[in-house]
Amino acid sequence: MSTAELAVVYAALILQDGAVEITADKLQALVKAAGVTVEPVWFNIFAKALEGQDLKELLGGLSQPGASAAPAGGAAGAAAGGDAPAEEAKEEEAEESDDDMGFGLFD
């Protein structure tokens, strides 16, 4: 990541920490105050990408690998009525039957 991109990311984090809406103008003002030269397109890209997003929530999921995936998997299993383990058993049986076809690769 370039220095310019990092400057915009840090500016977005500062705005989020201050509970200020992240806009291209505010990002540009912070980066300019820091004395970093950034192409204007980056401000719009970051502002549009982060519009309506909660950075604390986004970054909180990074520190705990799999934390967001576990509830989703549990909910899907409950919604499916417990069919997932049965499907796994069928797949394992199919794999075992492939191994016992009566001939080998070099027979």
Side-chain angles (χ1 to χ4, degrees):
M1 197 176 266
S2 71
T3 303
E5 291 172 11
L6 284 173
V8 179
V9 169
Y10 290 142
L13 290 172
I14 290 169
L15 291 172
Q16 177 69 36
D17 193 46
V20 178
E21 183 182 0
I22 299 172
T23 65
D25 294 334
K26 292 176 184 174
L27 290 170
Q28 188 172 12
L30 277 172
V31 170
K32 184 178 179 181
V36 180
T37 304
V38 177
E39 293 179 36
V41 69
W42 288 112
F43 303 118
N44 291 325
I45 290 172
F46 275 86
K48 287 181 182 180
L50 298 174
E51 185 177 353
Q53 299 291 326
D54 182 15
L55 285 179
K56 291 180 184 178
E57 184 179 316
L58 290 172
L59 295 175
L62 294 176
S63 64
Q64 301 171 356
S68 62
D83 291 338
E87 290 177 12
E88 289 178 15
K90 290 179 184 177
E91 289 178 16
E92 289 177 12
E93 290 175 13
E95 289 176 10
E96 290 175 6
S97 66
D98 290 345
D99 293 338
D100 191 25
M101 296 180 76
F103 61 89
L105 182 62
F106 298 105
D107 288 342

